[in-house]
Structures are given as C-alpha cells and as structure tokens.
C-alpha cells in the first residue's frame, strides 16, 4: 500500500480545482512549501497570496475576497489557523457565514519533531464549537482530494484538517459526501468510529482483533460536523459497544461528537481513544503516536477493554 500525506494531496487538488474554477484563490501565511500551496502558486501565481506571518490578517483578507464572489482557501499550520486566528475565523468568517475554506495542515501529534507548540490537538474542538462551521478530517490522500472539491462546491465556511505525516492510501476509493460516514468494515461486537490518520490504524487494529475472535465494525467519520447521526446511532445499537479513535484531544473532538448523538438515546458501552488531556511533545512522528497510544496494537488493546 502506497503512502502519501493529506497535505500533499491538498496541494495537488488545489491545482486541479484551479484549472476548472477561476474563482478559486489561495492564501498562505509564509508556509507555502510546508502546506503544499506552493504547487498552486507555481501554476497560478496571480491567484496565490502570501500574507506573511500574519494569520489573522490572512483570514480577514479571505473574508473580504469571498464577498467579491471568490472562493478563498486559507492555509497555515492548524495551530496558527485554528488557534492564533480563532477570533477572525469566528467573527470575520463564520458569524457572517462567508464562503471561506480553512485548510489547515500539520494537525495532531503526528507533526512530530516540532513539538507541543505546533502539535494542535484542540482544533476540532475549537471549530466544532463555531456555529455553522463544517469540519472535515480526511482519512487519506484520495479522500483529501475529494474533500477539497466538495468544500469548494458547498456554500459557507469549512475547516479542513490535514496532516504532515505520509500515511497509507486506501486502494479502493470510497464515496465522499459531506456529512455522510463510510463503513469500511462490518462487524457486530464493537463499533469503532475513527477519523483522519486514525482510520488506517483502526482498520489494522480490527484485523488484529479478528484473529482473536472479535468482529469490529470500522466507520470512517470524515465529516465531524455535521456528523452522520443516523450511521452513529445504527452501529451503536447494532454493536452495543462504541469506541472512538482520533489524533486529537478526547475533549471536544470526535469522541464528544459521537457521544452527543448517543447520549440519552442509545444505551451502550463507550470509550474514547485519543490524547488524554495532555500536550504533545517532540519526537519522531510514529514514536509520538506510540507514546499517546495511537498505534494499531495499542488501539486493539484499548478496544478489548470495552468488550
């Protein structure tokens, strides 16, 4: 299975999108080579704007551009786009419900060596809390490409969470519709809802569990808001045990989104796997993931705890 970072797929998708939609413009905050918007810059230099190390200004400029009928994609690291520029995202983009796409890379602890200051583990929680914000976290490069096109087609603000680390690209391309989860593996013993880079780890964990006689359903929740409540409810009822897996804090992320759907409606065992109220730390990406219990063998052991 080949590997590719979702940020790399994002850069390529922007060029494809730019070729068919002249309204698309791209803004970056002095990180074009890292966010991969440099690919768009080379193809369409007149439609790429480097705003310097001024993330709040970038978001405000994008808001203005959207009022002129353009479709701006803003990019920087998740920590700076969702964190530093939060007020501008909230008040300048979401409050007037403007058509700005916030595609932020280097999310989660898999950023690796850059350490806790750059490993954003709160961005999903921050963006989920903003009224009217759509939140998407693609599982692989193929899904990232489709998410870019889907974001451009819909009207309104979108937060697109992308990763630095190259991860497996699924051989079979899944359907992509904003707000609709994809069931990647059927099972009746436990329902595993995963997002982003954790989808491939959850699938590997399910294979390990199968060897031990446990049948785990694995559901890719690429859209965390609006979440696919019907799918979540169906599999929680079917399995009676629910586990969520995310490369994000267990506070305010996918786990809480799933819990919000089920609370008071479905009686089931429930466990959230993610970053347990800790900051990240510097290290090789895969070693950091292991430190936080986010590798397939560790996920399999955590899932067994709810059986």
């Amino acid at each position: 299975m080949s590997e590719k970072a979702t940020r790399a797929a994002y850069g390529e998708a922007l060029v494809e999108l730019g070729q068919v939609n002249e309204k698309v413009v791209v803004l970056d905050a002095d990180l074009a080579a890292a966010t991969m918007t440099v690919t768009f810059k080379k193809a369409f230099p007149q439609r790429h704007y480097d705003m310097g190390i001024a993330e709040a200004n970038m978001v405000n400029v994008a808001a203005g551009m959207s009022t002129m009928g353009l479709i701006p994609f803003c990019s920087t690291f998740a920590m700076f786009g969702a964190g530093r520029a939060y007020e501008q995202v909230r008040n300048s983009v979401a409050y007037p419900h403007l058509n700005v796409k916030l595609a932020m890379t280097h999310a989660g602890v898999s950023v690796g060596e850059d350490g806790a200051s750059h490993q954003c583990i709160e961005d999903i929680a921050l963006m989920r809390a903003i009224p009217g914000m759509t939140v998407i976290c693609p599982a692989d490069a193929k899904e990232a490409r489709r998410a870019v096109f889907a974001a451009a087609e819909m009207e309104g603000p979108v937060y697109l969470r992308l990763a630095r680390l190259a991860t497996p690209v699924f051989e079979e391309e899944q359907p992509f519709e904003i707000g609709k989860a994809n069931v990647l593996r059927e099972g009746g013993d436990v329902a595993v809802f995963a997002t982003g880079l954790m989808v491939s780890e959850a699938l590997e964990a399910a294979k390990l569990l199968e060897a031990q006689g446990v049948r785990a359903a694995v559901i890719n929740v690429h859209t965390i808001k609006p979440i696919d409540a019907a799918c979540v409810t169906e599999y929680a009822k079917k399995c009676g045990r629910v586990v969520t897996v995310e490369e994000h804090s267990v506070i305010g992320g996918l786990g809480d989104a799933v819990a919000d759907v089920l609370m008071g409606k479905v009686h089931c065992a429930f466990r959230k796997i993610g970053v347990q109220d800790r900051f990240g730390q510097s290290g090789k990406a895969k070693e950091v993931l292991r430190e936080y219990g986010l590798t397939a063998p560790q996920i399999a052991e955590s899932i067994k705890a709810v059986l």
Side-chain angles (χ1 to χ4, degrees):
M1 186 179 291
S2 63
E3 293 192 345
K4 189 175 191 175
T6 52
R7 63 170 173 147
Y10 166 62
E12 294 169 2
L14 281 179
V15 174
E16 280 190 70
L17 183 60
Q19 290 169 345
V20 297
N21 192 333
E22 294 182 354
K23 293 181 179 180
V24 171
V25 293
V26 175
L27 297 84
D28 207 293
D30 197 43
L31 286 168
T35 64
M36 300 295 186
T37 67
V38 68
T39 313
F40 186 91
K41 181 178 182 178
K42 291 175 181 175
F44 305 102
Q46 301 304 314
R47 290 156 63 187
H48 182 280
Y49 301 85
D50 189 339
M51 305 304 296
I53 307 173
E55 294 83 3
N57 287 347
M58 174 179 70
V59 172
N60 282 337
V61 170
M65 285 179 163
S66 73
T67 67
M68 300 165 61
L70 298 173
I71 305 173
F73 278 77
C74 278
S75 291
T76 180
F77 290 1
M79 188 66 249
F80 309 137
R84 181 178 293 164
Y86 177 81
E87 181 191 347
Q88 286 69 35
V89 171
R90 180 190 188 274
N91 290 336
S92 298
V93 171
Y95 179 49
H97 198 71
L98 296 179
N99 194 34
V100 176
K101 317 306 171 182
L102 305 154
M104 303 303 169
T105 70
H106 291 62
V109 294
S110 63
V111 172
E113 292 87 348
D114 289 355
S117 64
H118 285 49
Q119 294 168 0
C120 196
I121 53 171
E122 313 93 343
D123 55 318
I124 293 174
L126 289 168
M127 295 299 108
R128 270 188 71 223
I130 297 177
M133 181 66 73
T134 294
V135 181
I136 301 172
C137 184
D140 73 345
K142 290 180 180 179
E143 193 161 78
R145 176 190 174 278
R146 300 192 71 174
V148 169
F149 277 80
E153 288 172 8
M154 72 162 280
E155 184 72 25
V158 177
Y159 181 74
L160 187 59
R161 188 185 212 237
L162 303 163
R164 176 191 194 183
L165 183 66
T167 48
V169 179
F170 303 138
E171 293 180 6
E172 291 187 19
E173 189 162 348
Q174 302 296 319
F176 185 89
E177 182 181 346
I178 292 174
K180 294 294 183 183
N182 289 330
V183 179
L184 303 184
R185 184 185 178 100
E186 289 289 354
D189 295 326
V190 57
V192 182
F193 297 96
T195 193
L197 305 192
M198 291 298 101
V199 174
S200 62
E201 296 295 332
L203 285 168
E204 288 302 313
K207 291 178 184 177
L208 295 172
L209 290 169
E210 185 177 40
Q212 302 172 47
V214 177
R215 295 170 56 253
V218 178
I219 299 97
N220 171 19
V221 187
H222 53 67
T223 307
I224 298 169
K225 183 185 178 185
I227 196 164
D228 190 343
C231 179
V232 169
T233 302
E234 177 188 350
Y235 277 83
K237 288 179 177 178
K238 177 180 176 180
C239 299
R241 301 178 185 92
V242 169
V243 174
T244 60
V245 192
E246 59 194 310
E247 188 205 355
H248 181 273
S249 172
V250 292
I251 301 168
L254 171 67
D256 282 0
V258 170
D260 287 347
V261 172
L262 300 177
M263 191 179 300
K265 299 172 186 174
V266 180
H267 179 72
C268 60
F270 191 95
R271 183 183 182 95
K272 293 188 287 185
I273 298 173
V275 180
Q276 302 290 330
D277 199 22
R278 298 169 60 189
F279 281 106
Q281 56 189 300
S282 181
K284 296 293 184 184
K286 292 185 179 179
E287 293 176 7
V288 177
L289 288 171
R290 188 175 300 110
E291 168 66 21
Y292 289 83
L294 299 176
T295 66
Q298 293 168 306
I299 292 167
E301 287 302 311
S302 296
I303 291 172
K304 284 168 65 177
V306 304
L307 299 176

